[in-house]
Amino acid sequence: MNDAPSRPTGKGPLKLVARDLEDLSVISSMLQDAIVPPADMAYWPDDKAFVVALNRFKWESALEGPTYARTHAALRIENVSAVRRKGVSPSGDRDRLLDLLAVAYAEGVDGAPNAVHLQFADNRAVRVEVEELSVSLTDLGEPWPTQWKPGHEMGE
């Protein structure tokens, strides 16, 4: 990675930057199963930024279990021109929590814009249209223990 080691170690807070697909795949893997309240996503048009506050499972330390950890983190997407949502309302159900499955990038074709896709469970998604790929992930505060490790059944 350009600004951080490509293989997180589980020691200390993460601070990752993605400017290519390989970097973004590392960020996506660190965000799998993050919990996101819809109200904690914001598009700041004047700053050309989309920011998500989330509760991240610390996959980089999961091998150290059976006591696992979660931490608060911020995902920031730069160079944003538009945000489109599918099944995600920023002012909707305050009690709903979204389960983030993946962060992906699609280069624009035939005049379509480039986009960073946030894919959530239950076929919910946010499409963040960008001029170029620039995404950062920063852990915030101290992690806390949890005994629950996210798991997935085959076919999910």
Side-chain angles (χ1 to χ4, degrees), residues 7-58:
R7 186 174 180 106
T9 63
K11 306 290 186 222
L14 283 184
K15 188 170 189 176
L16 304 174
V17 175
R19 290 199 172 77
D20 61 35
L21 294 177
E22 183 178 346
D23 293 346
L24 189 63
S25 71
V26 173
I27 288 177
S28 181
S29 68
M30 294 296 106
L31 288 177
Q32 183 177 358
D33 298 305
I35 298 168
V36 181
D40 288 354
M41 292 187 259
Y43 174 36
W44 299 331
D46 291 345
D47 293 337
K48 292 187 163 189
F50 183 76
V51 179
V52 181
L54 41 86
N55 170 326
R56 184 179 79 76
F57 183 81
K58 290 182 60 80

Side-chain angles (χ1 to χ4, degrees), residues 33 57-59 62 66-70 145-151:
D33 298 305
F57 183 81
K58 290 182 60 80
W59 285 107
T67 299
Y68 306 106
R70 283 195 170 269
T146 180
Q147 49 185 308
W148 306 109
K149 179 180 179 184

